[in-house]
Amino acid sequence: MSQIRVVWGSASAPTEMASYDAALAAAGVENYNLVSVSSVIPAATAVEAVGTAPNLGPAGERLTVVEARATTAGPGQVSAALAWSQSVDDGPGLFYEVAGETDATDVDRRVHEGLRAGQELRDWTFTDPNVVVESEQAESGTYTTALVLAVYGDSDPIC
């Protein structure tokens, strides 16, 4: 059975890119090249919320991800949410992501609404949803990034 791990993190730094890199480090995926895909979970795939990724392969390789990410310049708040639900009987499923310069309650509400809308487009019977929300305050003079990623399997060589 294939595996998708849900990881998350947030961090502040002096530049926008540095805060993103530090948030990736908090999630354990800072040493990979991320390739974003839309939000369909293949059938016969286990999805597990792990927080921080284990070693997924050599540095510099490619990771396939669904990413919810927001960055803000402080002061302010930034939040990211990823919801998912799979069809019963080990069928396919959906991820839905929401992020922005807002609070955790707002992204949680919006990610549930989006997932329900995506489910209504499909003829699948879904399990109850799962949600991970990451939210962080940004202090004045810093950039802060919050992110939640679904990481598909292990890394693959790029070249």
Side-chain angles (χ1 to χ4, degrees), residues 55-70:
N55 182 348
L56 300 173
E61 289 196 338
R62 172 182 44 235
L63 278 181
T64 302
V65 302
V66 171
E67 181 179 44
R69 171 183 90 178

Side-chain angles (χ1 to χ4, degrees), residues 47-121:
V47 180
E48 180 182 9
V50 298
T52 303
N55 182 348
L56 300 173
E61 289 196 338
R62 172 182 44 235
L63 278 181
T64 302
V65 302
V66 171
E67 181 179 44
R69 171 183 90 178
T71 301
T72 191
Q77 185 169 8
V78 66
S79 301
L82 186 72
W84 68 97
S85 181
Q86 293 172 268
S87 58
V88 297
D89 299 327
D90 212 17
L94 289 176
F95 284 110
Y96 196 86
E97 59 273 16
V98 170
E101 294 181 40
T102 187
D103 62 32
T105 302
D106 182 50
V107 294
D108 184 67
R109 177 189 54 77
R110 290 190 293 139
V111 80
H112 277 95
E113 290 172 353
L115 183 62
R116 277 192 301 274
Q119 289 171 327
E120 290 172 4
L121 296 173

Side-chain angles (χ1 to χ4, degrees), residues 22-47:
L24 291 173
V29 293
E30 74 278 16
N31 291 325
Y32 302 100
N33 290 294
L34 306 182
V35 177
S36 292
V37 296
S38 61
S39 304
V40 177
I41 301 168
T45 301
V47 180

Side-chain angles (χ1 to χ4, degrees), residues 8-28 30 69-74 76-80 134-139 141-148:
W8 55 90
S10 58
S12 295
T15 69
E16 185 174 350
M17 187 55 72
S19 74
Y20 177 52
D21 194 29
L24 291 173
E30 74 278 16
R69 171 183 90 178
T71 301
T72 191
Q77 185 169 8
V78 66
S79 301
E134 179 73 1
S135 188
E136 189 69 35
Q137 283 296 130
E139 300 301 322
T142 67
Y143 289 87
T144 299
T145 298
L147 55 79
V148 184

